[in-house]
């Protein structure tokens, strides 16, 4: 059975206390209409600027509906593959130190939505927009990563019928790698690798020290973090309904960074991309504020930037401090809406935030934006 998420989570509109003094700055918030501007974001917006260049207009023209029709709940995938014998642990035979490419590692508490983030992003590249996503599953010695094939198939089949994919098992040999070769079909010069590591939230909880255990991380995670041949982005997925007696987001993220700095002797803050992800924004902020966040109007864009940063600062202050000290050109906060949950299924599936998230990762990997061919010169000369 697939996991069911709670319909009500965390913060409700109107309950937030006034923040008297907060180090709010304008850079790094990625709205659903597109990603953060390339110029230095230190200068506050005056509210009079024109609409930003829009990744949604690139990957979905004005006559394109990014919200799909209701999911057909009568068609379910064959569940037989859930009963198949355990496939070979592919990463056991891979020299992780020699891996290359662009990797996203999603960090978060159990149930925070890491699998939803990565699986829905993968699904969106496979069925929506103008990106081609082909699996990179063959090693140099000819060995096939059947685990990656199985996981991607599960994700595609689950999302096809609007079901939330299962989370990842705890064991280290259950860490799974998805490697994709992406091509922008509107600009085929933009081809890039986009890889994910699917890791259990329970694995990340181990970095939080307890009375009986010291912080630790699986060796495979350490190997990817210390591999200087890959370009890496971290997504901190914020669990907005923290459970009493369980580690908090602040405890997890601060101990994760401290572990990496103290145990692995790494400073991630300058070269690694950091994305704070707020899932379920429609529930967190309420229908009215969520719709304002989706508007292209200048005043609504400014509202979005301030509202999202205020929320993170008020509810996860230590996490906000990590964000605030990160390289301004390699950090962002974004919401991630996928649709509406109705009786355990996702209806009115929405790809806007997934598209923005893909472009943001591409920007952190390459310093560029996903855009149609010759769009730069068209902007320069005002050609439509």
């Amino acid at each position: 059975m697939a996991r069911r998420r709670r319909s009500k989570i965390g913060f409700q509109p109107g309950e937030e206390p006034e923040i008297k003094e907060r180090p709010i700055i304008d850079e790094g918030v990625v709205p659903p209409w597109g990603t953060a501007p390339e110029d230095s974001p230190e200068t506050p917006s005056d509210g009079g600027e024109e609409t930003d260049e829009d990744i949604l207009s690139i990957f979905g023209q004005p006559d394109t509906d990014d919200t799909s029709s209701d999911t057909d709940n009568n068609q379910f995938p064959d569940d037989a593959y859930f009963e198949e014998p355990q496939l070979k642990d592919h990463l056991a035979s891979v020299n992780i130190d020699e891996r290359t490419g662009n990797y996203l590692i999603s960090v978060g508490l159990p149930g925070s939505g890491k699998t939803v983030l990565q699986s829905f992003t993968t699904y969106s590249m496979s069925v929506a927009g103008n990106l081609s996503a082909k699996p990179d599953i063959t090693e140099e010695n000819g060995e096939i990563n059947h685990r990656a094939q199985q996981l991607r198939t599960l994700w595609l089949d689950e999302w096809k019928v609007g079901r939330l994919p299962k989370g990842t098992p705890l064991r280290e040999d259950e860490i799974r790698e998805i490697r994709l070769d992406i091509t922008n079909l509107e600009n085929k010069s933009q081809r890039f690798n986009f890889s994910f590591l699917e890791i259990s939230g329970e694995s990340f909880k181990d970095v939080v020290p307890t009375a009986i255990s010291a912080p630790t991380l699986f060796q495979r995670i350490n190997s990817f973090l210390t591999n200087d041949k890959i370009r890496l982005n971290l997504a901190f997925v914020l669990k907005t309904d923290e459970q009493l007696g369980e580690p908090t987001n602040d405890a997890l993220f601060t101990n994760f960074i401290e572990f990496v700095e103290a145990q692995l002797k790494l400073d991630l803050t300058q070269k690694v991309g950091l994305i704070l992800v707020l899932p379920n924004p429609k529930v967190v902020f309420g229908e009215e504020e969520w719709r304002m966040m989706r508007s292209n109007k200048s005043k609504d864009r400014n509202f979005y930037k301030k509202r999202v940063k205020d929320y993170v600062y008020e509810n996860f202050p230590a996490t906000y401090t990590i964000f605030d000290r990160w390289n301004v050109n390699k950090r962002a906060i974004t919401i991630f809406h996928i649709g509406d949950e109705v009786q355990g299924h996702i209806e009115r599936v929405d790809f806007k935030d997934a598209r923005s998230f893909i472009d943001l990762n591409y920007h952190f990997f390459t310093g560029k934006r996903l855009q149609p061919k010759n769009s730069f010169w068209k902007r320069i000369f005002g050609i439509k």
Side-chain angles (χ1 to χ4, degrees):
M1 293 287 294
R3 293 179 304 165
R4 294 183 58 180
R5 297 179 63 86
R6 294 175 55 179
S7 60
K8 297 291 184 181
I9 57 177
F11 169 90
Q12 297 297 317
E15 294 180 355
E16 73 276 23
E18 181 181 358
I19 303 174
K20 299 186 181 300
E21 292 185 5
R22 56 173 78 90
I24 297 302
I25 46 180
D26 279 342
E27 85 287 335
V29 178
V30 179
W33 56 83
T35 53
E38 298 204 29
D39 293 335
S40 174
E42 292 294 338
T43 303
S45 169
D46 61 7
E49 73 277 18
E50 297 181 357
T51 302
D52 297 336
E53 283 300 318
D54 188 353
I55 188 62
L56 300 179
S57 64
I58 294 171
F59 290 101
Q61 299 303 324
D63 59 351
T64 300
D65 185 1
D66 282 313
T67 304
S68 74
S69 60
D70 290 359
T71 304
D72 182 357
N73 293 339
N74 295 320
Q75 297 180 2
F76 287 86
D78 183 357
D79 287 336
Y81 41 66
F82 286 112
E83 306 302 328
E84 288 182 356
Q86 182 69 42
L87 292 174
K88 177 184 177 181
D89 177 10
H90 184 76
L91 284 176
S93 61
V94 170
N95 184 355
I96 297 175
D97 293 336
E98 295 301 320
R99 272 292 195 246
T100 59
N102 306 308
Y103 278 81
L104 172 69
I105 298 180
S106 296
V107 182
L109 295 167
S112 59
K114 299 180 301 301
T115 295
V116 170
L117 175 71
Q118 298 193 156
S119 64
F120 191 77
T121 298
T122 300
Y123 178 66
S124 71
M125 290 188 286
S126 301
V127 303
N130 295 307
L131 294 177
S132 168
K134 296 182 178 181
D136 176 10
I137 56 175
T138 305
E139 303 292 344
E140 292 183 359
N141 62 3
E143 183 178 354
I144 303 297
N145 187 348
H146 294 295
R147 271 190 143 189
Q149 285 181 304
Q150 181 198 39
L151 182 60
R152 187 165 178 260
T153 300
L154 287 171
W155 285 353
L156 293 176
D157 283 348
E158 294 280 277
W159 283 116
K160 179 182 177 182
V161 295
R163 293 196 300 199
L164 298 174
K166 290 183 176 182
T168 309
L170 173 61
R171 300 186 305 273
E172 179 168 19
D173 62 6
E174 290 286 355
I175 294 176
R176 290 166 286 183
E177 176 191 45
I178 299 285
R179 293 177 57 88
L180 299 172
D181 289 328
I182 310 299
T183 301
N184 180 358
L185 297 179
E186 292 189 337
N187 184 354
K188 293 188 177 180
S189 65
Q190 292 185 324
R191 298 183 179 183
F192 62 103
N193 164 269
F194 196 0
S195 299
F196 304 90
L197 292 181
E198 183 65 7
I199 306 169
S200 166
E202 294 287 345
S203 303
F204 288 115
K205 280 174 59 177
D206 291 340
V207 302
V208 180
T210 68
I212 59 174
S213 64
T216 185
L217 268 180
F218 285 149
Q219 181 56 44
R220 290 184 186 177
I221 305 176
N222 297 347
S223 296
F224 276 102
L225 290 172
T226 56
N227 181 355
D228 58 8
K229 298 182 179 67
I230 66 175
R231 288 180 285 194
L232 181 65
N233 289 339
L234 295 175
F236 283 3
V237 185
L238 294 161
K239 187 175 183 179
T240 53
D241 56 345
E242 295 177 331
Q243 302 297 314
L244 187 65
E246 291 290 316
T248 63
N249 291 281
D250 280 350
L252 175 66
F253 297 140
T254 55
N255 279 282
F256 176 80
I257 294 298
E258 288 172 3
F259 179 90
V260 169
E261 291 177 344
Q263 301 291 329
L264 305 183
K265 309 299 182 184
L266 295 175
D267 179 7
L268 303 180
T269 62
Q270 296 304 308
K271 294 184 178 180
V272 173
L274 175 64
I275 306 170
L276 303 188
V277 180
L278 278 168
N280 302 322
K282 196 172 182 180
V283 177
V284 171
F285 297 106
E287 179 89 20
E288 183 178 355
E289 289 193 356
W290 175 77
R291 291 195 179 279
M292 290 177 64
M293 292 176 177
R294 291 244 151 168
S295 168
N296 263 336
K297 296 179 180 178
S298 177
K299 66 179 182 63
D300 291 336
R301 295 204 310 273
N302 292 333
F303 164 80
Y304 171 88
K305 294 176 183 179
K306 185 176 187 302
R307 185 70 179 88
V308 170
K309 282 199 170 184
D310 283 357
Y311 178 78
V312 174
Y313 177 80
E314 176 65 22
N315 290 275
F316 318 108
T319 301
Y320 184 89
T321 299
I322 294 172
F323 170 85
D324 191 46
R325 294 173 179 173
W326 213 268
N327 182 347
V328 296
N329 297 314
K330 301 283 283 188
R331 70 186 186 192
I333 305 175
T334 188
I335 60 176
F336 199 78
H337 174 73
I338 62 174
D340 299 319
E341 184 178 352
V342 180
Q343 296 182 344
H345 283 72
I346 302 299
E347 298 184 355
R348 294 173 289 279
V349 177
D350 193 323
F351 296 106
K352 283 187 173 75
D353 291 348
R355 292 178 179 183
S356 179
F357 185 70
I358 294 164
D359 180 66
L360 176 61
N361 276 275
Y362 179 77
H363 177 61
F364 283 170
F365 290 144
T366 68
K368 302 176 182 178
R369 301 287 183 191
L370 290 169
Q371 55 190 3
K373 189 175 182 180
N374 299 325
S375 60
F376 172 78
W377 295 110
K378 288 181 179 179
R379 291 199 304 272
I380 292 296
F381 293 105
I383 302 173
K384 296 184 179 179

